[in-house]
Amino acid sequence: NIITKDILSKKLSGEYKFLPIDTKYFKDLEVEILGLFDNLDEELDGWLIKSENYQALNTILPKFKGKVQTIYIDPPYNTGKDFPYIDRFQNSSWLSLIFDRISLLYDFLNITGNFWLHLDFNSVHLARILLDDIFGRDNFVNEIIWRKRAGAGNDSKYIANEHDNILLYCKNFQRVEFSSFQRGSELIENYERDGKGYYLLKPLNEPTLQDSPGLHYDILLPSGKILYGNQHQWKVSRNKYYEMLNNDQIVFKEDKVYYKHYIDINKGIIPSSIFFNTGFNSDGTKELKSLFGESFYNSLKKESKKPTVKPERLLKTILTISYNKSINNIVLDCFLGFGTTTAVAHKLGRKWIGIEMGEYFYTVILPRMKKVLAYDRSGISKENDVKENYNEKKAGGFFKYYELEQYEETLANTVYENHDMLITEDCKPYEQYVFMRDEKMLRALDEIDYKNNKVKVDLSKIYENIDIAETLSNLTGKWIKRIEGEEIVFEDGSIVNIKDLDYKLIKPLIWWE
């Protein structure tokens, strides 16, 4: 169905114009495809990494140190419950987990970068102290309140829990720049419109203004009721009121008087510390259902009890505020969950890094990002102010995904030996583990050239689909410029032949004592 025929020729069907190609299934074409790019890492839209996030952050730090503009994380809230992830830490364990990761994340930020930590009442007070220590109190920007659901819900026996807390810090308060919003569809949908433009209704009654006799006068309502001036203080004078009334700028509702506050949709607005109109958790759920279907969501719900999915509009608001037009805006999320951050970042034209260790990496996140490439028709996709080349006619994109070998997998390949080397006359004999050389080194050996004192290794003998280019890029911190057949060309001009690897280059990866 991909190819259609007409009288003159065969051509690609318009329906499949943006069919994502996963080179995992086209290994015979992979090198040829990658060879089309003159500056590979610069042209990538993102990196999707399956790994425990502390290990992943340590691995990629040399490559991305000081290059990230926005970090948003939505970690476990320390609620005492379990979801698809463990969320029943003691306070000390939770703080240790968060501190270790945020300390690393700090080094990823550029000098104008900003950090968003999404929590709720369970641990936000603990996190505030921790972040003051890492970023410094002077780099605290604000605590943002996000209204996460429309109603009180079932927990409203006392006081309903209707909001989450987002702590916002920056790398350097003197250098930080936050963008005002461009008025897009998610902002103007709550405005009304007439022939003069978009407006909000605001009360004409304004008791907080400095008292003035000219602001007290009677107003006759359409119902015949009179609002007496001795009981009300209006925002404008009597003459201004009648001028506004004649120009259809006064609105009467339920015996109250409002005026139309017009806005210029071509100008930005200053972001508020309260996010009211950025979607609810239920909207995130609807987006996931629209992508994968009701039955899939129900199976996910059964597996993970009650998955919470952040709505795309919330992340769009955050990424809009944190945008810096003068630099390369890389977005990083190392608690990726169901992939909302990377999906929104891609649609807005930001480079992104997503890290997640859960099995839904393959069942939700990767399929979701492939749908994003093909235009997913959900969330913010239908809005006019997503990136110019992300719409139903163009869509597209280019990202890499890979797994990192985990620490436990390395230990599984390690040889141990019982040894008495630490036994002394003052201590009772005991068995002591001694780490021997990792067997992987032996499996990777390809050729030993004694004459030239050179050892060649073949990493594909360890893992069939090992990505040598990305491995070396992470190890050295050098971005990949081109892949030309068996040669990797890095940004500094250095070249490595993957068929002629010297063990000295990759010894830190595979040699354990």
Side-chain angles (χ1 to χ4, degrees), residues 169-234:
Y169 282 75
C170 61
K171 187 74 171 279
N172 187 321
F173 199 83
Q174 303 302 317
R175 299 286 299 277
V176 70
E177 294 180 12
F178 291 109
S179 299
S180 59
F181 288 99
Q182 293 303 308
R183 294 185 184 276
S185 56
E186 95 287 359
L187 293 168
I188 65 175
E189 66 180 19
N190 295 303
Y191 287 78
E192 297 184 58
R193 187 179 185 181
D194 60 16
K196 298 184 182 71
Y198 292 93
Y199 64 88
L200 279 176
L201 287 181
K202 293 192 173 185
L204 191 68
N205 196 38
E206 185 56 89
T208 62
L209 291 176
Q210 183 176 351
D211 193 19
S212 169
L215 300 179
H216 294 274
Y217 47 88
D218 301 342
I219 291 181
L220 176 64
L221 301 177
S223 64
K225 181 179 178 179
I226 298 176
L227 299 180
Y228 292 100
N230 60 0
Q231 300 174 8
H232 296 275
Q233 176 177 300
W234 307 112

